[in-house]
Amino acid sequence: MPRPLGDLEDAVMTRVWEWNRPVTVREVLEDLQQGRQIAYTTVMTVMDNLHQKGWLRREQEGRAYRYEAVSTRAAYAAALMNEAWSESDNPAAALVAFFGMMSPQQTEALRDALRVVQLNGERLTEPGER
């Protein structure tokens, strides 16, 4: 299961996910520099670390690499939610508490997601069913 990304890792991955194409360290650096001072080597190290952790894949292009995301932000968020939920000693209570924190927009998104799952022929099982 993934551990949460650090602030700079998240900033890098946000760009990679949003751009949805192979990117260079230079492209990410230039975008990050619009909001903060940061060195090329720092961004290069973070992207190499994300590659080593399995978040990014890369292909060499000349002397540089082009990086792209291995999975989507949605898959990352789902894995984090699943990890948090599975660590609960009372998963049902954790879900009730989570649902209680949801905004009306999030509740509607949950309803939409359940409709999609049901339309795809999957069904939610009752406790004790397989």
Side-chain angles (χ1 to χ4, degrees):
M1 282 291 140
R3 67 172 183 77
L5 296 170
D7 289 340
L8 189 51
E9 289 174 326
D10 185 66
V12 168
M13 288 303 300
T14 294
R15 282 150 180 85
V16 175
W17 282 320
E18 286 177 358
W19 296 341
N20 196 28
R21 62 175 172 77
V23 300
T24 63
V25 171
R26 174 83 42 212
E27 290 173 303
V28 174
L29 170 72
E30 289 172 359
D31 199 63
L32 286 171
Q33 285 178 330
Q34 293 179 27
R36 65 172 96 182
Q37 286 192 329
I38 190 164
Y40 180 92
T41 53
T42 301
V43 177
M44 182 177 64
T45 298
V46 169
M47 292 179 78
D48 183 61
N49 289 344
L50 288 166
H51 169 70
Q52 298 299 324
K53 292 176 182 180
W55 289 106
L56 295 174
R57 67 171 135 298
R58 68 184 181 193
E59 284 196 30
Q60 194 154 9
E61 185 176 278
R63 293 179 16 168
Y65 287 105
R66 284 208 172 265
Y67 292 86
E68 63 183 318
V70 170
S71 65
T72 64
R73 180 179 276 288
Y76 166 68
L80 289 177
M81 288 187 290
N82 186 57
E83 174 75 7
W85 184 52
S86 67
E87 290 181 4
S88 173
D89 60 348
N90 187 339
L95 282 175
V96 169
F98 179 67
F99 294 154
M101 295 177 197
M102 294 174 85
S103 70
Q105 296 82 9
Q106 291 170 322
T107 302
E108 188 57 34
L110 176 61
R111 286 187 184 107
D112 290 344
L114 289 171
R115 280 188 217 104
V116 168
V117 168
Q118 291 167 344
L119 287 174
N120 287 336
E122 300 174 31
R123 69 178 189 91
L124 301 176
T125 60
E126 294 295 322
E129 283 187 329
R130 288 248 167 207

